[in-house]
Amino acid sequence: MESYSVDHLIITPDKKGSREFYKVSFPFRYGRFSEIKSPGFIFQFNLSGEIKFIQGIGQNWPHPAEWLKRTAGNDWIYYSAGNYRDIYDYFGEYYFPYFSYPSNSIMDGNPFNDQSVHSAMKSWPLLQDKIKKLIPRTKPKRLKDLLTRITEKDQEALRRRSDQLHRLIGGQVTVLPPDTRHVDYEVIPIIVADGCLYHCGFCQVKTGQDFSPRPSKNIIGQIKNLKQFYGQDLYNYNAIFLGQHDALSAGKELLMLAATNAYESFEFERSYLKGPSLFLFGSVDSMVHVEEKLFESLSALPFSTYLNIGLESNDSNTLKVLKKPVSVEKVREAFDRILEINRRYEKIEVTANFVFGRDLPSGHLPSLLELTRHKLNSSCNKGAAYLSPLMEERMRDQESKRKLLRGFLKLKTQSRLPTFIYLIQRL
Ligand code: SF4
């Protein structure tokens, strides 16, 4: 691993991170990347020269195990080690993500208001100005090419890139499945169907469109264009998200077409990262009605498949309050099938989403235990239950949040399924 020392910067053009995603409590990088270390910050870039991580050095930085990450959608996320104990119990990860956009965050504070985090964000264009001046006298060519690539990817270029990504897939991904946390949300999005079946009243991520599968030609076109879009950095990916809100309803033919085409076109067999993954959402109806053959086919793919189903509640009053037009009987039928699929297919994990919040009917939480505890004879390590906080404006004070977190931990200790909080993260 060759490094160059130039004008108080240490530049390492090729760093090899982990080839697998691990859940660890210290800053950890995966994939291949390049790095520039200045006296105050560590900047890391993907293989296309785009800034991906910034981490502060020294006492001013909030915590040595915290960092900033930029997503392909050009959002910054602050990975916090948290002031709270139990971060892993809440989220299944050793960090807590703070988003730079509105979400259903249940943790206090906002590091984007912190002076040192602010400086880190500002340091990035300053570094670009500095290396621009260094380029004419930089040798060898390999180093000069890297610095040129990095300066070309300025803030305006990165904004245009994220717009391009959204254009290619036909809009922003308003929410990623909670299971994508297993690959640090590093998924290539391919939209197989727009809209959803229910248009639930409570939902903040719906597009409002009626459910409509994309034509095969559109899906193949997206994959071709995405391959070009990710370019050199495709080597750092091994996971896809088949969107949007109910890909499972798109049916076997479209799902298999998208999954097999993506695997081949993106050359996941040659990816730097091991173990390809496929993520998608499904609905109560699609889970109940989908043909068994789809699971057999998914199971035969090289991917590990994670399917997340929005159940929301097992209580009819709560479903009414949420304005979710499904019956509680159907929710139970879907849950039974989730358990069955998890038992039957080793390479498929189906997880379920439920809401939680302060003002829901009193039957909601006990109804969740009916499913996550009483339906099971013993604890399971597969088929997580995710609880998505409903954070209305008046829930945003510290005490309300803490009360909700205490309620969550109480439910978690009784649940026989792995149980975590689900935050709305977009791409
Ligand atoms: S919760 Fe799911 S089904 Fe309901 S409106 Fe939102 S995206 Fe659509």
Side-chain angles (χ1 to χ4, degrees):
M1 192 170 55
E2 212 171 357
S3 291
Y4 302 86
S5 209
V6 191
D7 209 7
H8 305 294
L9 301 175
I10 300 167
I11 307 171
T12 312
D14 185 17
K15 290 197 92 164
K16 294 182 177 68
S18 167
R19 302 194 68 176
E20 284 176 72
F21 293 92
Y22 292 108
K23 298 188 192 304
V24 288
S25 58
F26 51 86
F28 150 86
R29 297 288 174 259
Y30 40 82
R32 297 271 293 265
F33 59 95
S34 48
E35 180 182 280
I36 299 181
K37 201 169 175 181
S38 76
F41 300 99
I42 300 169
F43 303 90
Q44 288 161 333
F45 306 86
N46 69 17
L47 294 178
S48 304
E50 296 164 348
I51 184 75
K52 183 144 185 175
F53 297 104
I54 306 178
Q55 190 174 357
I57 303 169
Q59 289 190 338
N60 289 336
W61 189 245
H63 193 287
E66 299 187 347
W67 64 93
L68 280 159
K69 174 185 166 184
R70 196 189 64 86
T71 69
N74 206 29
D75 288 314
W76 284 97
I77 298 173
Y78 186 84
Y79 283 63
S80 167
N83 297 322
Y84 295 88
R85 287 159 44 241
D86 310 321
I87 284 278
Y88 185 87
D89 282 345
Y90 292 138
F91 302 105
E93 305 293 331
Y94 288 99
Y95 61 83
F96 169 72
Y98 282 98
F99 307 118
S100 51
Y101 50 88
S103 177
N104 60 341
S105 182
I106 195 171
M107 303 303 262
D108 292 328
N110 179 2
F112 289 97
N113 292 334
D114 185 288
Q115 194 47 46
S116 55
V117 175
H118 206 63
S119 303
M121 309 272 289
K122 284 206 332 216
S123 67
W124 156 231
L126 295 177
L127 177 79
Q128 285 204 315
D129 290 344
K130 179 170 176 164
I131 57 181
K132 222 177 254 175
K133 288 180 196 139
L134 292 176
I135 289 174
R137 54 188 166 93
T138 298
K139 279 182 192 156
K141 184 174 179 308
R142 179 182 177 224
L143 182 60
K144 188 173 187 158
D145 289 347
L146 170 70
L147 296 187
T148 307
R149 254 199 324 275
I150 288 173
T151 51
E152 281 167 358
K153 303 289 162 43
D154 62 12
Q155 296 195 76
E156 180 50 29
L158 294 177
R159 196 189 53 72
R160 281 200 307 269
R161 290 266 301 154
S162 76
D163 288 350
Q164 191 193 355
L165 172 65
H166 295 145
R167 259 199 319 277
L168 291 182
I169 60 172
Q172 194 174 50
V173 174
T174 55
V175 62
L176 286 168
D179 309 296
T180 53
R181 67 188 174 88
H182 298 312
V183 297
D184 196 23
Y185 303 90
E186 293 291 308
V187 289
I188 299 178
I190 302 159
I191 307 305
V192 297
D194 297 290
C196 65
L197 298 179
Y198 307 134
H199 309 298
C200 315
F202 79 97
C203 176
Q204 292 176 4
V205 297
K206 60 181 176 254
T207 56
Q209 291 167 269
D210 287 336
F211 180 77
S212 161
R214 297 264 182 107
S216 324
K217 210 171 144 196
N218 175 290
I219 295 169
I220 291 169
Q222 283 181 67
I223 294 171
K224 193 169 150 246
N225 292 333
L226 287 164
K227 180 177 173 142
Q228 266 202 334
F229 174 85
Y230 282 91
Q232 276 178 289
D233 202 43
L234 200 54
Y235 187 49
N236 277 329
Y237 283 84
N238 71 344
I240 54 172
F241 163 56
L242 300 184
Q244 286 253 34
H245 303 300
D246 190 3
L248 191 61
S249 276
K252 178 168 161 277
E253 208 176 302
L254 277 192
L255 291 176
M256 294 309 289
L257 172 99
T260 50
N261 254 276
Y263 185 83
E264 277 166 30
S265 286
F266 299 155
E267 299 178 51
F268 279 163
E269 214 167 64
R270 294 183 46 236
S271 167
Y272 181 75
L273 289 163
K274 293 184 199 163
S277 309
L278 184 161
F279 301 90
L280 71 162
F281 284 118
S283 62
V284 173
D285 273 274
S286 59
M287 192 62 207
V288 168
H289 298 300
V290 68
E291 50 179 330
E292 189 68 25
K293 275 207 163 66
L294 170 64
F295 295 109
E296 289 167 14
S297 303
L298 285 172
S299 183
L301 292 174
F303 292 103
S304 294
T305 296
Y306 296 87
L307 167 59
N308 179 255
I309 309 292
L311 299 182
E312 324 310 349
S313 182
N314 180 34
D315 171 55
S316 51
N317 284 337
T318 308
L319 291 170
K320 243 179 249 158
V321 167
L322 296 173
K323 296 199 177 98
K324 186 167 183 100
V326 294
S327 69
V328 76
E329 290 75 23
K330 218 176 223 179
V331 168
R332 288 171 194 162
E333 211 182 322
F335 188 79
D336 287 342
R337 192 150 191 220
I338 289 174
L339 294 182
E340 187 53 39
I341 299 298
N342 280 335
R343 273 193 289 265
R344 194 171 296 161
Y345 300 96
E346 202 185 319
K347 283 173 67 190
I348 302 177
E349 176 165 3
V350 191
T351 60
N353 283 342
F354 300 99
V355 293
F356 84 121
R358 200 175 59 176
D359 295 333
L360 293 173
S362 59
H364 175 58
L365 287 182
S367 82
L368 293 191
L369 283 178
E370 276 302 313
L371 301 181
T372 61
R373 181 174 178 84
H374 303 307
K375 282 246 176 210
L376 298 141
N377 297 328
S378 55
S379 294
C380 271
N381 57 9
K382 191 181 176 194
Y386 288 99
L387 271 73
S388 184
L390 296 176
M391 300 303 294
E392 307 103 20
E393 205 42 56
R394 65 207 162 81
M395 288 295 301
R396 298 197 181 270
D397 66 281
Q398 219 175 54
E399 193 37 47
S400 299
K401 287 179 178 178
R402 291 195 174 164
K403 212 168 150 191
L404 260 190
L405 287 172
R406 283 197 294 274
F408 167 79
L409 283 181
K410 198 171 156 205
L411 184 109
K412 183 185 172 87
T413 51
Q414 296 177 73
S415 169
R416 287 185 168 141
L417 291 173
T419 302
F420 301 108
I421 295 173
Y422 173 23
L423 300 177
I424 295 170
Q425 179 159 173
R426 70 188 188 187
L427 182 63

